[in-house]
Every structure is written in structure tokens, then in C-alpha cells.
Amino acid sequence: MSMFVDIAFPISSYNIFTYSVPQKFRSQIGIGSRVTAPLGKRRTTGIIVGFPQKPVFTGAIKNIESLVDPYPVLDKPLWELIIWMSDYYLTPIGQVAKTVLPSKLSTRYDPPALWMVRIVSKGDNANLGNLGKNAPTQAKVLDQLKNYKDFIQVSELRSFASSPLKVCQGLEEKGLVKLLKETRTPNINAFTFDPISKQIYFTKKQREVLHDLSLMLNPKKFSSHLLHGVTGSGKTEIYIEISRKVLACDRTVIILLPEILITPQIAGRFRAVFGDTVALWHSKLTQAVRSWTWKRICLGDFKVIIGARSAIFAPVKNLGLIVVDEEQESSYKQEYPAPKYHTREVALMRGKLHKAMVIMASATPSLESYYNQIKGKFTYLQLSHRYGGAKYPQVYVVDMKKDQEEAGKIGQVFSGLLLDKIEDRLNKSEQIILLQNRRGYSPIFRCNDCGEMEMCPRCNVTLTYHKVGNSLQCHFCGLKKKVVKLQCKHCSGHNLGLLGIGTQKVEDILIESFPGARLARLDFDTARSISSITKLLKKFSLGKIDILLGTQMIAKGLDFENITLVGIINADTGLYLPDFRAGERVFQLIYQASGRSGRHKKPGEVVIQTYDAENAVIKQATKLNLKKYYNMALSERRELNYPPFSWMSNLVFSGKKKIAVLHKADKVRSGLSGKYKGLDIIGPAPCYRERLRGKYRIQIVFKSAKSQDQNGLKLHHFLQQNFGSEINQQTHSGVITSLDINPVSIQ
Ligand code: ADP
Ligand code: ZN
């Protein structure tokens, strides 16, 4: 009897393909198994989605070729999650599967084995002269080995012999050395902080929160919560305590963190409590560590997974708890490639499928979650005080316009107040965090004669000057070019100027103003590897750095006792982006950054510099008045029918030829049928980033009022009917249509 399977491939098509299964694989496969099979001219990894009785396809049916894993890695809930994502984000199953189970990861991964060699006593006493007559290379290698008592890697001898293994094998035959093959398991803990042990005595308020959560843990049931705790209130300790209870029921935990940077510190806390059952998962793992970790997650060796966005797909069994820390962060959204999922949405669904507890936690919840809590979708747990009686910092707002007018100095980066306070902390040996949310040296490189600016030819945005490496870079597409000649391309003038301020420039000013200060800069450009970040943070925690300067990376999560001053150099950065969430983001950033100051015994201060002191967002943010700002923002969103009062999706058409893109967008727009009351269609209109990576972009935004469409099903149905089959397909004129369900920004 033949056996058939339907396979979905990671291609942008909903087609599934039927194959037959050779006898030898039959007992090892199931729904969700990964296999390789011929697709067109190539061998491709796909996923089994069904077992048809007989194929619908009438042509020749091919065989599957191999199994990627010797058993299905997906359990039922994770498989159902793939199905749900495919439907919810209108993305083919094969493509979702590739996100959930990256094809580079296989349970067959074995750490590489390395050849090791050691000299033995016969070798130690051997006469090198005699040996050298017939085998000079062997003599050279043996001579080297005399320097080592223990095994060393054979590959280390490469400078003495071009094929050291062969030479060593020759030596072994003569009984002069011993060879052995050793498996090198990657060190998965290399990147965490050392375990950070602490005595924890929960406060009354913390105990209440823990009590409320514990009640919901049993019976095995889905529950969702918003833990709204001010910075420093002990949210991490709550995660740890609840995890303990979940593990005690033999269930597993996923802790999601938005910023890789803060992982080592929190991971250090978790490791102190849960030891080797904790695994880290994020994009900066090396391939060996990633493969090794993943295999061991599949084997059930780890019970607590701490990681960034993609850790939501960790194939742990018996999942009992998901925590989304700083749930408002936009790094939780996958912007590219499809599926453009939001980790918050996926976490809630995975929680439902596993009958697990899901905790959204933040000091500054997203407006969505805040609203969900008001609507009763999440239970609301609040920690409104810092642990240990630490006070919220004293905030000073500097109106930079006024400040500079009064001082008669225009264009100063630092106000007198901030400079004084930095000086004061340096004198007291207390630490300082400075936030400048723009990297590079200057975002604008302009000719003072003709006024032309250097633009990215592919993205139509100004290129940012980077002093380190003396280059101009596009922060959208990554284009990088060396500045060879300081001459304007347009008028050949030599009078070039830099406008605007990035972290590198702030660094220069600081070095000049405080020559004795020990300064570190942490932004996308310096954060090369997690180990370098970990080192830097360790140095900071040991007090070997006075000033930590950085982009939004440093605004969250850091918990150091000695930070008593936070300076926000330009609070207005990002405020004027044409995006309905711009204000919310700026508010959250200011609030979070302020939260780094004075978290323990020493009182903290915050200096916020702004050019728009009257702006409503800035005003509430500088007062750290969260409730007032959220209510204000919510009523604005309600008025304009934006989320969380509506469901929103956007279609972006992009292509090299502007005419073709416009044409496609117009055609789509005019063909839209099936409108229902409460559906708002905006556009087509050029995206804010009209050209990106050499492509012209135009979008249509859909909003569906919740009052008419409670669960978003109407909009979903509408999108599926109208675009289901063309998303991510390229037309012959080169236009691609991509869809973003619940976009976090519409730029
Ligand atoms: P959050 O995550 O809410 O910003 P943290 O969990 O980092 O706050 O807590 C702030 C600091 O207070 C940390 O150093 C933490 O270890 C400490 N802390 C919080 N709760 C307790 C407690 N009950 N006992 C001892 N230390 C605590
Ligand atoms: Zn570019």
C-alpha cells in the first residue's frame, strides 16, 4: 500500500503538494514533521500538513527524500499555533512554519567533535634528530607538543603542518602521541551575567499580586493579566516567584524580553534561582549555540526559556506561563518577512492553546493592553511603588529654546543645568545615564553653499554621518559609503556642514567637557555582540564607567544602584513622525528612561531637555503622569477611530517602477467591494518612507470600527476575500503587495 502526505513549503503560495512516503520513513512521521522533498528543480524542506487517502494530483507523484528530524518536533498546540498564524496573518502555512521552525535548526544537530592530541612519554623522550631525518614535519610537530602536558586541539598545530591531523596520525602509529576525538558542547552560559543571588522578602503589595496570580494557576486554564508596575517595583521578582510555582506543577515557562541588552542581568537572576534549567534564546546566539540550545529544548532539558521575540516559538512541552516584559515595545513586532506577527498576539494565542497563564507586564503598557484591561480582557495587577521605599526621581524640565535665548548661545547640545548635574555626580562618584535616541554623528550632511544634502539614492532620506569609520550611512537600508573627499557633489563647494546630533557627536562633546570621565557609548553601532555588551554592563555595574550614553537601548531594564542621574538630551526625537503612535512612544521612552534613576537607596534625578515644552505629550511625560497621558491619548484615538478603538491593517504596494506601483494600487482600490458599515479605507497614498531600498511604496490603510466589528472578523474576512491570494506575490510589472495586520506603525 502506498502512503501519501501533503506538504506545505516555505513559499508565498497556499498550494500544497502531494508526495508518497517510502516505507522506511513511515513510522517516524506525523502532522508537523519536517521533510525534504523535490520541488521544481530543487530539494526543499517542507512540513507535513495532511495524510490524503489518495492524491488529487494526477501527474507523477514523487517520493519524499529525507526527514529533517527523526520525530515530529511540534506538539499539538504549537502546530495549532502555526495554523492560527497562517489564518490570522494571511500567510501560507509553509512560510509560518519557517518562522516557527527555522530550517537551520534540526534535532539531529550534534556539536562538532574536535581532534585532540597529547604527547606521551615515549614521544617526550624520542630523539628529534633521528625522527627529523625521515619525517621533518613530524619532528617539528612533536617538538611543539613537548610544550604541552595536556591535550590540545590538533588544529592549533596548523602553523607547523598543513595537514596536522595526518602528521599526528603518523606520530601515533609510532607510539609517540595520543589522539582522541572530543565533542565540544557549546557553552550556552557564556553570555549571561553570573548568577545574582538575593534575599527576597515580598512586600504586602507584591504578595497580593502573587496571591491573585496563584489563584489563577490552577486549574489548568488560560488566563491573561496586565501587570502594571512602576519601574523598580519588583516585576522581575514576581516573574521568578510565579515561575517557581509553574515549574512545581511540572510545566514550563517562557519569559520574553524586548531588548537583548538587558537579558544578561535578568538571566543572571533567573539562573541564581533555577540553575541550568534556564536557556537563553535570541538573535545574537552563534549558530552552534543556537542549534545546541534548540535541540536540548526539544529534548526537554530546559524548563525556562528567556529570550527575545522568536523565543515565543520555543518548542517547550507543557507550557504553563508566558511573560511578555515591557509588552509595549515595538521590537515585539516582526516587520519582515511575513508573517508580520506581533509577539503579544501570538503569546495570547499560544497561551490559550496550552491552557497557560499569560502576563503582559510593563511600567508603561501599550494603549492596547491598557484598554484591554479597562474592558476586562486582562485582569489588572498593579504595583504602584518602587521596592524598598525608593522614591521616584525628581524631574527637571529644561526648555531649550528659552535656555539658549537667555544664555545667548544657540545650538548648544547640553543645557547649563544638565552640565552642572553631570559635574556634581562625577564629583560624588555616582553614575549617569544619558539618552540620545539617534545614532551616528550627525543625521544631516549639508553643503552650506548650495544647501543640497547627501541623500540615500535608494531610500530618499538624509544620510547620517558617522565619524567612526568616516562614512555616510543610510539607517534604513544600511548603505554605507566612505567620505573620501569633502566636496559637495552638486556645486563642488568645500563648505560642508553637519546638522543634527547623534550619539557619536554627544560623545565628542562629553569627552571635551569632562576629560576625566570614564564614558561608554552603547548603540546599534557599538553593540556588536552580546558578550561585548555583557562586558560593558559588568564594567558599569562595578562602577568602572561613570557615564553610559546610548540610544533607546539603554532606557529599559537596567537596574544599577549607583545611577542617580538620567539626562534625556532631546526628548522630542520622534515626536513629529507622521504615525498615530508617535506620541505614545515618546511618552514611554521618557518614562522608562527616567525609571533608571534612583532605583535603590540613593535618590535620583532626571533632566529632560526639550524644544517643545508646551507639547502635551512632553508635558505629561515630564510630569511622569501616566494616567493623565493615557486618558488623553485614548480619547484622541477614540475620536479618530484609531486602535484600540478600531482594527487596522495596511496594504503596501512596492516596486521599482513608480507608475506600475501607482497603477496597481489604484486598481486594487477601485475594485474593492463588500464594504460594510464602519469600514474606513484610506488611500492609496505614498508611505511616509516613500522610497525604501530602491523601491517606491504606496499604501492603503483599512480601519474597522470595533463598535461595528467587535472581534475584527469582518475586516479579516474582507481582507481575505479581496487579497487572500495576491499577498506577497509579485505581478509581472514587479509590484509586490504586502499586508500588515495590526501594524505598529504606518510609515
Ligand atoms: P522592575 O522589573 O519592576 O523594574 P525589579 O524587579 O528590577 O523591578 O526590582 C527592582 C529592584 O528591587 C531589584 O534590584 C530587585 O531585585 C529588588 N527587589 C524587588 N522586590 C524585592 C523583594 N521583595 N526583596 C528584595 N529585593 C527586591
Ligand atoms: Zn537607504
Side-chain angles (χ1 to χ4, degrees):
M1 259 257 299
S2 331
M3 179 187 201
F4 299 102
V5 286
D6 283 336
I7 298 184
F9 290 99
I11 51 178
S12 55
S13 135
Y14 284 91
N15 291 341
I16 51 173
F17 301 82
T18 306
Y19 291 82
S20 60
V21 184
Q23 191 70 39
K24 60 181 174 186
F25 298 142
R26 290 188 187 171
S27 62
Q28 299 172 55
I29 54 173
I31 296 277
S33 284
R34 288 185 298 175
V35 298
T36 57
L39 179 69
K41 290 200 176 76
R42 293 181 306 140
R43 258 172 106 230
T44 307
T45 296
I47 192 155
I48 296 179
V49 298
F51 288 90
Q53 286 297 324
K54 59 176 203 256
V56 184
F57 182 61
T58 49
I61 301 281
K62 294 178 183 158
N63 271 339
I64 61 172
E65 281 179 3
S66 63
L67 305 186
V68 175
D69 310 289
Y71 48 86
V73 274
L74 297 166
D75 58 1
K76 189 156 173 270
L78 203 48
W79 171 246
E80 285 169 354
L81 188 72
I82 290 178
I83 306 283
W84 174 80
M85 284 177 73
S86 167
D87 174 62
Y88 190 76
Y89 297 110
L90 299 178
T91 305
I93 287 189
Q95 236 169 301
V96 176
K98 196 176 154 195
T99 300
V100 174
L101 296 172
S103 50
K104 278 195 181 139
L105 300 174
S106 156
T107 51
R108 287 187 202 276
Y109 174 82
D110 277 318
L114 297 175
W115 280 106
M116 310 291 289
V117 64
R118 191 190 72 189
I119 198 162
V120 298
S121 58
K122 187 174 167 200
D124 225 1
N125 302 323
N127 183 325
L128 285 178
N130 282 349
L131 181 64
K133 275 183 213 142
N134 295 324
T137 319
Q138 287 188 0
K140 238 194 305 181
V141 165
L142 195 65
D143 190 30
Q144 266 311 304
L145 286 172
K146 286 186 182 215
N147 299 327
Y148 304 96
K149 287 272 159 295
D150 220 339
F151 280 98
I152 66 162
Q153 281 178 30
V154 170
S155 60
E156 285 177 48
L157 298 162
R158 197 156 287 144
S159 51
F160 307 99
S162 54
S163 45
L165 181 60
K166 254 208 191 118
V167 178
C168 290
Q169 280 164 343
L171 287 166
E172 193 180 35
E173 272 170 30
K174 293 176 182 158
L176 305 174
V177 303
K178 185 168 168 47
L179 271 170
L180 86 100
K181 209 170 182 184
E182 197 177 79
T183 309
R184 274 303 170 93
T185 50
N187 179 2
I188 59 161
N189 281 324
F191 299 145
T192 68
F193 258 28
D194 305 328
I196 302 164
S197 298
K198 266 190 188 168
Q199 264 320 333
I200 303 294
Y201 301 102
F202 286 109
T203 62
K204 182 159 173 281
K205 204 62 213 164
Q206 289 175 332
R207 281 205 307 274
E208 276 170 28
V209 166
L210 284 168
H211 176 79
D212 288 353
L213 285 172
S214 306
L215 287 181
M216 308 295 281
L217 269 181
N218 275 316
K220 195 172 170 176
K221 206 172 113 199
F222 165 71
S223 65
S224 52
H225 315 269
L226 175 64
L227 172 57
H228 182 186
V230 298
T231 55
S233 58
K235 292 187 291 297
T236 312
E237 302 304 332
I238 302 275
Y239 310 158
I240 290 177
E241 196 51 32
I242 284 293
S243 298
R244 203 198 296 274
K245 292 182 199 280
V246 170
L247 293 172
C249 306
D250 216 13
R251 301 181 79 185
T252 55
V253 176
I254 297 177
I255 308 281
L256 299 165
L257 306 172
E259 185 61 75
I260 201 61
L261 173 66
I262 59 177
T263 313
Q265 209 178 13
I266 295 187
R269 271 300 289 136
F270 270 83
R271 279 224 300 138
V273 179
F274 302 114
D276 289 339
T277 60
V278 179
L280 283 191
W281 188 256
H282 53 73
S283 61
K284 292 218 160 146
L285 297 179
T286 61
Q287 192 55 40
V289 174
R290 168 177 300 271
S291 304
W292 182 232
T293 307
W294 194 76
K295 177 176 178 174
R296 294 184 54 205
I297 294 175
C298 291
L299 291 173
D301 288 351
F302 296 118
K303 306 289 179 207
V304 181
I305 314 297
I306 302 181
R309 185 170 74 217
S310 61
I312 188 60
F313 303 120
V316 283
K317 306 282 175 332
N318 232 343
L319 182 62
L321 171 68
I322 305 172
V323 175
V324 187
D325 184 48
E326 306 290 2
E327 55 87 30
Q328 80 287 353
E329 279 300 316
S330 47
S331 62
Y332 280 127
K333 172 84 179 183
Q334 166 143 317
E335 295 285 359
Y336 184 83
K340 298 183 175 183
Y341 69 90
H342 200 299
T343 313
R344 212 164 47 211
E345 293 155 5
V346 176
L348 286 169
M349 184 44 71
R350 194 164 180 200
K352 274 181 201 160
L353 294 168
H354 283 270
K355 298 195 170 59
M357 170 178 282
V358 181
I359 302 178
M360 303 292 164
S362 182
T364 52
S366 61
L367 274 179
E368 267 83 358
S369 296
Y370 192 76
Y371 181 73
N372 274 338
Q373 160 269 125
I374 296 174
K375 285 272 156 191
K377 277 198 183 165
F378 297 156
T379 65
Y380 187 56
L381 305 162
Q382 209 179 359
L383 290 172
S384 39
H385 296 285
R386 284 184 154 188
Y387 172 75
K391 292 242 163 37
Y392 233 68
Q394 166 88 37
V395 180
Y396 301 88
V397 183
V398 181
D399 180 336
M400 292 297 274
K401 273 194 219 146
K402 242 197 216 151
D403 194 71
Q404 304 196 341
E405 265 162 35
E406 280 164 14
K409 289 188 217 158
I410 302 300
Q412 294 290 92
V413 173
F414 285 97
S415 60
L417 182 74
L418 185 49
L419 286 176
D420 288 347
K421 294 213 178 278
I422 294 175
E423 177 93 58
D424 172 67
R425 297 312 132 106
L426 290 173
N427 289 335
K428 288 199 239 162
S429 296
E430 292 176 356
Q431 287 169 302
I432 301 154
I433 281 191
L434 295 176
L435 175 78
Q436 170 62 7
N437 201 12
R438 186 171 265 160
R439 67 195 172 91
Y441 192 85
S442 275
I444 297 172
F445 195 63
R446 193 178 72 168
C447 172
N448 290 332
D449 294 336
C450 73
E452 288 286 341
M453 297 180 275
E454 279 266 8
M455 309 289 281
C456 172
R458 305 170 68 209
C459 303
N460 212 29
V461 295
T462 59
L463 291 175
T464 298
Y465 177 66
H466 283 241
K467 197 171 172 189
V468 181
N470 189 33
S471 63
L472 287 169
Q473 294 181 22
C474 172
H475 286 184
F476 290 135
C477 72
L479 173 107
K480 191 170 175 178
K481 57 180 194 181
K482 270 234 166 305
V483 180
V484 226
K485 212 164 43 170
L486 281 179
Q487 191 174 36
C488 173
K489 271 205 308 216
H490 304 275
C491 72
S492 306
H494 291 273
N495 187 11
L496 295 171
L498 291 169
L499 289 179
I501 301 143
T503 45
Q504 293 177 6
K505 184 166 181 179
V506 176
E507 187 179 24
D508 271 11
I509 298 171
L510 284 170
I511 291 172
E512 214 169 278
S513 317
F514 303 102
R518 295 163 303 173
L519 175 67
R521 172 165 62 87
L522 193 46
D523 54 28
F524 183 79
D525 302 306
T526 60
R528 284 273 162 244
S529 70
I530 183 100
S531 62
S532 67
I533 300 169
T534 312
K535 254 188 228 146
L536 191 152
L537 289 181
K538 260 187 195 160
K539 242 172 113 177
F540 192 64
S541 72
L542 294 171
K544 292 182 181 161
I545 292 170
D546 303 310
I547 306 177
L548 181 62
L549 160 70
T551 51
Q552 99 290 340
M553 262 185 185
I554 60 168
K556 297 165 294 251
L558 299 181
D559 177 32
F560 296 114
E561 268 183 60
N562 202 29
I563 303 171
T564 59
L565 176 64
V566 166
I568 299 178
I569 292 168
N570 187 351
D572 320 330
T573 311
L575 196 56
Y576 309 110
L577 288 174
D579 183 357
F580 70 101
R581 284 199 176 85
E584 181 185 346
R585 282 208 197 98
V586 170
F587 179 90
Q588 288 163 344
L589 184 63
I590 296 175
Y591 191 98
Q592 291 278 356
S594 306
R596 300 308 113 215
S597 183
R599 288 164 68 88
H600 295 263
K601 294 201 186 76
K602 294 179 191 165
E605 290 182 326
V606 180
V607 176
I608 300 175
Q609 304 188 143
T610 171
Y611 287 84
D612 198 355
E614 289 308 308
N615 181 292
V617 177
I618 298 290
K619 253 187 169 158
Q620 299 312 329
T622 50
K623 286 185 197 149
L624 304 182
N625 196 340
L626 188 133
K627 213 163 182 177
K628 187 141 182 211
Y629 172 71
Y630 276 44
N631 286 336
M632 189 179 93
L634 279 176
S635 64
E636 211 175 272
R637 299 264 181 99
R638 187 197 312 263
E639 214 166 284
L640 299 171
N641 192 30
Y642 274 121
F645 298 93
S646 63
W647 302 99
M648 182 188 266
S649 288
N650 73 332
L651 270 185
V652 173
F653 306 90
S654 62
K656 290 221 164 77
K657 288 192 218 118
K658 184 169 174 173
I659 297 291
V661 177
L662 281 171
H663 182 74
K664 172 76 184 167
D666 280 338
K667 204 173 128 207
V668 165
R669 176 69 184 88
S670 61
L672 286 181
S673 54
K675 273 194 259 179
Y676 52 89
K677 199 167 162 256
L679 178 67
D680 210 352
I681 304 181
I682 307 158
C687 297
Y688 170 63
R689 291 169 190 157
E690 194 171 335
R691 265 162 63 78
L692 196 62
R693 299 183 177 87
K695 287 192 171 156
Y696 186 78
R697 300 160 78 236
I698 194 156
Q699 70 178 342
I700 301 179
V701 176
F702 302 92
K703 287 191 296 180
S704 175
K706 280 194 182 165
S707 54
Q708 305 286 330
D709 185 10
Q710 206 189 349
N711 298 312
L713 292 176
K714 280 188 184 168
L715 179 60
H716 187 265
H717 188 67
F718 169 82
L719 293 170
Q720 191 169 37
Q721 283 217 313
N722 286 287
F723 313 109
S725 57
E726 39 185 311
I727 289 159
N728 290 327
Q729 308 280 4
Q730 190 161 345
T731 65
H732 32 256
S733 49
V735 181
I736 288 191
T737 307
S738 62
L739 172 69
D740 194 345
I741 305 274
N742 308 337
V744 295
S745 74
I746 43 167
Q747 298 181 25

